[in-house]
mmCIF file of all heavy atoms in Angstrom:
data_model
loop_
_atom_site.group_PDB
_atom_site.id
_atom_site.type_symbol
_atom_site.label_atom_id
_atom_site.label_comp_id
_atom_site.label_asym_id
_atom_site.label_seq_id
_atom_site.Cartn_x
_atom_site.Cartn_y
_atom_site.Cartn_z
ATOM 1 N N ASP B 453 -4.917 -27.671 -6.702
ATOM 2 C CA ASP B 453 -4.831 -29.112 -6.912
ATOM 3 C C ASP B 453 -3.493 -29.489 -7.552
ATOM 4 O O ASP B 453 -2.802 -30.409 -7.126
ATOM 5 C CB ASP B 453 -5.996 -29.531 -7.820
ATOM 6 C CG ASP B 453 -6.201 -31.023 -7.812
ATOM 7 O OD1 ASP B 453 -6.154 -31.599 -6.709
ATOM 8 O OD2 ASP B 453 -6.386 -31.598 -8.893
ATOM 9 N N GLU B 454 -3.126 -28.730 -8.571
ATOM 10 C CA GLU B 454 -1.890 -29.004 -9.305
ATOM 11 C C GLU B 454 -0.659 -28.834 -8.405
ATOM 12 O O GLU B 454 0.272 -29.639 -8.442
ATOM 13 C CB GLU B 454 -1.832 -28.036 -10.489
ATOM 14 C CG GLU B 454 -0.660 -28.233 -11.413
ATOM 15 C CD GLU B 454 -0.600 -27.097 -12.447
ATOM 16 O OE1 GLU B 454 -1.679 -26.615 -12.852
ATOM 17 O OE2 GLU B 454 0.513 -26.694 -12.802
ATOM 18 N N LEU B 455 -0.677 -27.794 -7.583
ATOM 19 C CA LEU B 455 0.458 -27.539 -6.697
ATOM 20 C C LEU B 455 0.610 -28.665 -5.671
ATOM 21 O O LEU B 455 1.715 -29.070 -5.331
ATOM 22 C CB LEU B 455 0.304 -26.193 -5.986
ATOM 23 C CG LEU B 455 0.357 -24.980 -6.915
ATOM 24 C CD1 LEU B 455 0.027 -23.697 -6.174
ATOM 25 C CD2 LEU B 455 1.729 -24.879 -7.579
ATOM 26 N N ALA B 456 -0.525 -29.190 -5.205
ATOM 27 C CA ALA B 456 -0.468 -30.314 -4.269
ATOM 28 C C ALA B 456 0.150 -31.526 -4.960
ATOM 29 O O ALA B 456 0.988 -32.232 -4.391
ATOM 30 C CB ALA B 456 -1.867 -30.631 -3.756
ATOM 31 N N ARG B 457 -0.243 -31.769 -6.201
ATOM 32 C CA ARG B 457 0.311 -32.910 -6.939
ATOM 33 C C ARG B 457 1.822 -32.765 -7.127
ATOM 34 O O ARG B 457 2.549 -33.738 -7.199
ATOM 35 C CB ARG B 457 -0.366 -33.045 -8.306
ATOM 36 C CG ARG B 457 -1.424 -34.137 -8.320
ATOM 37 C CD ARG B 457 -2.048 -34.238 -9.684
ATOM 38 N NE ARG B 457 -2.772 -32.994 -10.001
ATOM 39 C CZ ARG B 457 -2.967 -32.559 -11.236
ATOM 40 N NH1 ARG B 457 -2.508 -33.223 -12.265
ATOM 41 N NH2 ARG B 457 -3.628 -31.442 -11.433
ATOM 42 N N LEU B 458 2.282 -31.524 -7.216
ATOM 43 C CA LEU B 458 3.723 -31.294 -7.364
ATOM 44 C C LEU B 458 4.477 -31.493 -6.055
ATOM 45 O O LEU B 458 5.689 -31.336 -6.006
ATOM 46 C CB LEU B 458 3.978 -29.870 -7.873
ATOM 47 C CG LEU B 458 3.559 -29.619 -9.317
ATOM 48 C CD1 LEU B 458 3.698 -28.150 -9.667
ATOM 49 C CD2 LEU B 458 4.386 -30.476 -10.253
ATOM 50 N N GLY B 459 3.748 -31.763 -4.981
ATOM 51 C CA GLY B 459 4.425 -32.079 -3.733
ATOM 52 C C GLY B 459 4.474 -30.954 -2.723
ATOM 53 O O GLY B 459 5.104 -31.086 -1.675
ATOM 54 N N LEU B 460 3.850 -29.828 -3.027
ATOM 55 C CA LEU B 460 3.786 -28.768 -2.020
ATOM 56 C C LEU B 460 2.758 -29.133 -0.960
ATOM 57 O O LEU B 460 1.827 -29.900 -1.215
ATOM 58 C CB LEU B 460 3.342 -27.442 -2.658
ATOM 59 C CG LEU B 460 4.420 -26.514 -3.193
ATOM 60 C CD1 LEU B 460 4.892 -27.030 -4.518
ATOM 61 C CD2 LEU B 460 3.880 -25.116 -3.324
ATOM 62 N N GLY B 461 2.927 -28.565 0.206
ATOM 63 C CA GLY B 461 1.872 -28.647 1.199
ATOM 64 C C GLY B 461 1.073 -27.364 1.141
ATOM 65 O O GLY B 461 1.646 -26.300 0.913
ATOM 66 N N LEU B 462 -0.254 -27.459 1.305
ATOM 67 C CA LEU B 462 -1.054 -26.243 1.262
ATOM 68 C C LEU B 462 -2.013 -26.200 2.438
ATOM 69 O O LEU B 462 -2.595 -27.225 2.808
ATOM 70 C CB LEU B 462 -1.864 -26.153 -0.031
ATOM 71 C CG LEU B 462 -1.074 -25.973 -1.321
ATOM 72 C CD1 LEU B 462 -1.024 -27.283 -2.071
ATOM 73 C CD2 LEU B 462 -1.680 -24.886 -2.180
ATOM 74 N N ILE B 463 -2.157 -25.032 3.009
ATOM 75 C CA ILE B 463 -3.201 -24.814 4.008
ATOM 76 C C ILE B 463 -4.140 -23.773 3.429
ATOM 77 O O ILE B 463 -3.720 -22.668 3.092
ATOM 78 C CB ILE B 463 -2.631 -24.324 5.351
ATOM 79 C CG1 ILE B 463 -1.629 -25.344 5.888
ATOM 80 C CG2 ILE B 463 -3.754 -24.109 6.352
ATOM 81 C CD1 ILE B 463 -1.012 -24.962 7.228
ATOM 82 N N VAL B 464 -5.403 -24.161 3.263
ATOM 83 C CA VAL B 464 -6.382 -23.261 2.681
ATOM 84 C C VAL B 464 -7.404 -22.888 3.747
ATOM 85 O O VAL B 464 -8.092 -23.755 4.285
ATOM 86 C CB VAL B 464 -7.100 -23.905 1.485
ATOM 87 C CG1 VAL B 464 -8.180 -22.973 0.951
ATOM 88 C CG2 VAL B 464 -6.111 -24.260 0.402
ATOM 89 N N VAL B 465 -7.461 -21.610 4.067
ATOM 90 C CA VAL B 465 -8.480 -21.115 4.977
ATOM 91 C C VAL B 465 -9.635 -20.600 4.145
ATOM 92 O O VAL B 465 -9.422 -19.878 3.170
ATOM 93 C CB VAL B 465 -7.912 -19.973 5.847
ATOM 94 C CG1 VAL B 465 -9.020 -19.115 6.401
ATOM 95 C CG2 VAL B 465 -7.054 -20.523 6.953
ATOM 96 N N SER B 466 -10.841 -21.021 4.484
ATOM 97 C CA SER B 466 -11.967 -20.538 3.712
ATOM 98 C C SER B 466 -13.222 -20.531 4.557
ATOM 99 O O SER B 466 -13.380 -21.340 5.468
ATOM 100 C CB SER B 466 -12.191 -21.417 2.482
ATOM 101 O OG SER B 466 -13.323 -20.967 1.787
ATOM 102 N N SER B 467 -14.106 -19.586 4.278
ATOM 103 C CA SER B 467 -15.395 -19.602 4.945
ATOM 104 C C SER B 467 -16.470 -20.109 3.993
ATOM 105 O O SER B 467 -17.648 -20.035 4.290
ATOM 106 C CB SER B 467 -15.734 -18.210 5.463
ATOM 107 O OG SER B 467 -15.428 -17.253 4.490
ATOM 108 N N GLU B 468 -16.041 -20.580 2.811
ATOM 109 C CA GLU B 468 -16.995 -21.198 1.897
ATOM 110 C C GLU B 468 -16.894 -22.703 2.051
ATOM 111 O O GLU B 468 -15.901 -23.318 1.683
ATOM 112 C CB GLU B 468 -16.683 -20.797 0.454
ATOM 113 C CG GLU B 468 -16.935 -19.328 0.203
ATOM 114 C CD GLU B 468 -17.019 -19.025 -1.280
ATOM 115 O OE1 GLU B 468 -17.385 -19.925 -2.057
ATOM 116 O OE2 GLU B 468 -16.697 -17.895 -1.655
ATOM 117 N N LEU B 469 -17.949 -23.284 2.565
ATOM 118 C CA LEU B 469 -17.928 -24.701 2.854
ATOM 119 C C LEU B 469 -17.706 -25.556 1.607
ATOM 120 O O LEU B 469 -16.880 -26.481 1.620
ATOM 121 C CB LEU B 469 -19.231 -25.077 3.562
ATOM 122 C CG LEU B 469 -19.259 -26.406 4.278
ATOM 123 C CD1 LEU B 469 -18.032 -26.574 5.148
ATOM 124 C CD2 LEU B 469 -20.517 -26.486 5.119
ATOM 125 N N PRO B 470 -18.395 -25.296 0.524
ATOM 126 C CA PRO B 470 -18.161 -26.106 -0.687
ATOM 127 C C PRO B 470 -16.705 -26.037 -1.143
ATOM 128 O O PRO B 470 -16.170 -27.015 -1.664
ATOM 129 C CB PRO B 470 -19.083 -25.456 -1.726
ATOM 130 C CG PRO B 470 -20.120 -24.761 -0.946
ATOM 131 C CD PRO B 470 -19.471 -24.302 0.317
ATOM 132 N N GLU B 471 -16.085 -24.879 -0.931
ATOM 133 C CA GLU B 471 -14.695 -24.713 -1.322
ATOM 134 C C GLU B 471 -13.808 -25.653 -0.511
ATOM 135 O O GLU B 471 -12.952 -26.368 -1.041
ATOM 136 C CB GLU B 471 -14.289 -23.257 -1.087
ATOM 137 C CG GLU B 471 -12.883 -22.921 -1.494
ATOM 138 C CD GLU B 471 -12.705 -21.409 -1.636
ATOM 139 O OE1 GLU B 471 -13.363 -20.826 -2.514
ATOM 140 O OE2 GLU B 471 -11.932 -20.828 -0.863
ATOM 141 N N ILE B 472 -14.030 -25.673 0.795
ATOM 142 C CA ILE B 472 -13.266 -26.550 1.679
ATOM 143 C C ILE B 472 -13.508 -28.008 1.301
ATOM 144 O O ILE B 472 -12.570 -28.798 1.166
ATOM 145 C CB ILE B 472 -13.691 -26.298 3.148
ATOM 146 C CG1 ILE B 472 -13.198 -24.944 3.613
ATOM 147 C CG2 ILE B 472 -13.201 -27.407 4.048
ATOM 148 C CD1 ILE B 472 -11.746 -24.887 3.989
ATOM 149 N N LEU B 473 -14.777 -28.355 1.102
ATOM 150 C CA LEU B 473 -15.118 -29.750 0.778
ATOM 151 C C LEU B 473 -14.499 -30.167 -0.549
ATOM 152 O O LEU B 473 -14.104 -31.318 -0.734
ATOM 153 C CB LEU B 473 -16.639 -29.923 0.731
ATOM 154 C CG LEU B 473 -17.327 -29.914 2.101
ATOM 155 C CD1 LEU B 473 -18.830 -29.829 1.939
ATOM 156 C CD2 LEU B 473 -16.934 -31.153 2.904
ATOM 157 N N ALA B 474 -14.415 -29.226 -1.478
ATOM 158 C CA ALA B 474 -13.890 -29.553 -2.799
ATOM 159 C C ALA B 474 -12.371 -29.713 -2.777
ATOM 160 O O ALA B 474 -11.814 -30.562 -3.465
ATOM 161 C CB ALA B 474 -14.287 -28.471 -3.802
ATOM 162 N N LEU B 475 -11.697 -28.900 -1.984
ATOM 163 C CA LEU B 475 -10.243 -28.819 -2.100
ATOM 164 C C LEU B 475 -9.473 -29.675 -1.105
ATOM 165 O O LEU B 475 -8.390 -30.172 -1.417
ATOM 166 C CB LEU B 475 -9.799 -27.362 -1.878
ATOM 167 C CG LEU B 475 -10.097 -26.364 -2.986
ATOM 168 C CD1 LEU B 475 -9.791 -24.950 -2.503
ATOM 169 C CD2 LEU B 475 -9.273 -26.681 -4.224
ATOM 170 N N ALA B 476 -10.005 -29.848 0.097
ATOM 171 C CA ALA B 476 -9.171 -30.307 1.194
ATOM 172 C C ALA B 476 -9.066 -31.826 1.291
ATOM 173 O O ALA B 476 -10.019 -32.548 1.032
ATOM 174 C CB ALA B 476 -9.696 -29.746 2.504
ATOM 175 N N ASP B 477 -7.863 -32.298 1.666
ATOM 176 C CA ASP B 477 -7.667 -33.702 2.010
ATOM 177 C C ASP B 477 -8.022 -33.931 3.473
ATOM 178 O O ASP B 477 -8.521 -34.980 3.851
ATOM 179 C CB ASP B 477 -6.215 -34.107 1.784
ATOM 180 C CG ASP B 477 -5.834 -34.003 0.330
ATOM 181 O OD1 ASP B 477 -6.502 -34.650 -0.493
ATOM 182 O OD2 ASP B 477 -4.894 -33.254 0.016
ATOM 183 N N HIS B 478 -7.681 -32.937 4.278
ATOM 184 C CA HIS B 478 -8.044 -32.967 5.690
ATOM 185 C C HIS B 478 -8.706 -31.652 6.012
ATOM 186 O O HIS B 478 -8.367 -30.637 5.418
ATOM 187 C CB HIS B 478 -6.802 -33.106 6.579
ATOM 188 C CG HIS B 478 -6.209 -34.464 6.529
ATOM 189 N ND1 HIS B 478 -6.703 -35.516 7.247
ATOM 190 C CD2 HIS B 478 -5.172 -34.943 5.823
ATOM 191 C CE1 HIS B 478 -5.987 -36.596 6.977
ATOM 192 N NE2 HIS B 478 -5.051 -36.273 6.107
ATOM 193 N N ILE B 479 -9.605 -31.693 6.965
ATOM 194 C CA ILE B 479 -10.289 -30.465 7.322
ATOM 195 C C ILE B 479 -10.178 -30.243 8.823
ATOM 196 O O ILE B 479 -10.447 -31.144 9.618
ATOM 197 C CB ILE B 479 -11.781 -30.517 6.912
ATOM 198 C CG1 ILE B 479 -11.868 -30.610 5.389
ATOM 199 C CG2 ILE B 479 -12.528 -29.289 7.412
ATOM 200 C CD1 ILE B 479 -13.211 -31.011 4.870
ATOM 201 N N LEU B 480 -9.719 -29.044 9.148
ATOM 202 C CA LEU B 480 -9.616 -28.640 10.542
ATOM 203 C C LEU B 480 -10.690 -27.594 10.763
ATOM 204 O O LEU B 480 -10.758 -26.624 10.024
ATOM 205 C CB LEU B 480 -8.229 -28.044 10.785
ATOM 206 C CG LEU B 480 -7.893 -27.555 12.177
ATOM 207 C CD1 LEU B 480 -7.558 -28.742 13.054
ATOM 208 C CD2 LEU B 480 -6.709 -26.612 12.133
ATOM 209 N N VAL B 481 -11.535 -27.803 11.774
ATOM 210 C CA VAL B 481 -12.584 -26.830 12.039
ATOM 211 C C VAL B 481 -12.229 -26.052 13.286
ATOM 212 O O VAL B 481 -11.823 -26.631 14.297
ATOM 213 C CB VAL B 481 -13.960 -27.513 12.218
ATOM 214 C CG1 VAL B 481 -15.057 -26.459 12.364
ATOM 215 C CG2 VAL B 481 -14.244 -28.428 11.053
ATOM 216 N N MET B 482 -12.341 -24.730 13.175
ATOM 217 C CA MET B 482 -12.043 -23.882 14.332
ATOM 218 C C MET B 482 -13.287 -23.133 14.762
ATOM 219 O O MET B 482 -14.151 -22.802 13.950
ATOM 220 C CB MET B 482 -10.943 -22.863 13.998
ATOM 221 C CG MET B 482 -9.587 -23.498 13.794
ATOM 222 S SD MET B 482 -8.325 -22.256 13.451
ATOM 223 C CE MET B 482 -8.120 -21.503 15.068
ATOM 224 N N CYS B 483 -13.350 -22.899 16.082
ATOM 225 C CA CYS B 483 -14.451 -22.107 16.612
ATOM 226 C C CYS B 483 -13.911 -21.335 17.805
ATOM 227 O O CYS B 483 -13.353 -21.934 18.729
ATOM 228 C CB CYS B 483 -15.599 -23.011 17.021
ATOM 229 S SG CYS B 483 -16.924 -22.113 17.826
ATOM 230 N N GLU B 484 -14.046 -20.051 17.783
ATOM 231 C CA GLU B 484 -13.588 -19.194 18.879
ATOM 232 C C GLU B 484 -12.154 -19.499 19.293
ATOM 233 O O GLU B 484 -11.845 -19.595 20.473
ATOM 234 C CB GLU B 484 -14.543 -19.298 20.060
ATOM 235 C CG GLU B 484 -15.940 -18.827 19.676
ATOM 236 C CD GLU B 484 -16.922 -18.802 20.838
ATOM 237 O OE1 GLU B 484 -16.702 -19.575 21.782
ATOM 238 O OE2 GLU B 484 -17.883 -18.036 20.765
ATOM 239 N N GLY B 485 -11.289 -19.701 18.313
ATOM 240 C CA GLY B 485 -9.865 -19.867 18.589
ATOM 241 C C GLY B 485 -9.425 -21.308 18.811
ATOM 242 O O GLY B 485 -8.231 -21.603 18.741
ATOM 243 N N ARG B 486 -10.374 -22.193 19.101
ATOM 244 C CA ARG B 486 -9.990 -23.588 19.370
ATOM 245 C C ARG B 486 -10.272 -24.464 18.156
ATOM 246 O O ARG B 486 -11.149 -24.172 17.346
ATOM 247 C CB ARG B 486 -10.763 -24.126 20.566
ATOM 248 C CG ARG B 486 -10.378 -23.490 21.886
ATOM 249 C CD ARG B 486 -11.169 -24.083 23.017
ATOM 250 N NE ARG B 486 -12.598 -23.879 22.849
ATOM 251 C CZ ARG B 486 -13.229 -22.784 23.265
ATOM 252 N NH1 ARG B 486 -12.578 -21.824 23.860
ATOM 253 N NH2 ARG B 486 -14.532 -22.648 23.073
#
Side-chain angles (χ1 to χ4, degrees):
Chain B
D453 194 44
E454 184 188 326
L455 294 173
R457 259 181 296 153
L458 290 173
L460 270 78
L462 293 104
I463 302 181
V464 176
V465 159
S466 177
S467 44
E468 292 197 27
L469 196 48
E471 182 162 296
I472 290 282
L473 286 169
L475 288 171
D477 296 303
H478 287 280
I479 296 165
L480 180 78
V481 185
M482 291 182 73
C483 175
E484 298 184 334
R486 291 181 299 273

